[in-house]
Amino acid sequence: MAAIRGIGRTNEAVTEIAVAIVEVDEQTAATCEIARTVQEAARANGAVYANIAGVGLRSTEAGAAPSQVSPPRPTSSSRPSCSTAPSPTS
């Protein structure tokens, strides 16, 4: 009878070890999924940063553009009033 109880305890111990192995495998899978998700987020963050940097550069270029353009010199012929402007059909 003692041998059967010993076998039963051994069986319970083996079952506990098997359950622990399954739990470790599940935890490993979850950790790998978290790592993959973090890597994807980091790549997306890099793309967002690059876009923001591009917008900042374009904004700087657009802000500098007016200072690089010479304003036209007004003359009496280049500034017709609305009433004396030639019509597009004439």
Side-chain angles (χ1 to χ4, degrees):
M1 195 62 147
I4 293 176
R5 281 189 215 121
I7 292 171
R9 284 191 296 270
T10 302
N11 191 28
E12 288 174 7
V14 169
T15 300
E16 288 175 9
I17 291 170
V19 168
I21 290 171
V22 169
E23 289 173 348
V24 168
D25 285 346
E26 290 175 354
Q27 184 64 41
T28 300
T31 301
C32 289
E33 179 64 19
I34 291 168
R36 186 187 63 76
T37 302
V38 168
Q39 287 176 341
E40 287 179 13
R43 277 193 289 272
N45 189 40
V48 168
Y49 176 79
N51 285 338
I52 290 171
V55 168
L57 178 63
R58 298 309 177 270
S59 174
T60 302
E61 290 171 352
S67 66
Q68 297 172 358
V69 176
S70 299
R73 293 185 181 161
T75 63
S76 60
S77 62
S78 66
R79 294 179 23 175
S81 67
C82 293
S83 61
T84 60
S87 69
T89 58
S90 44

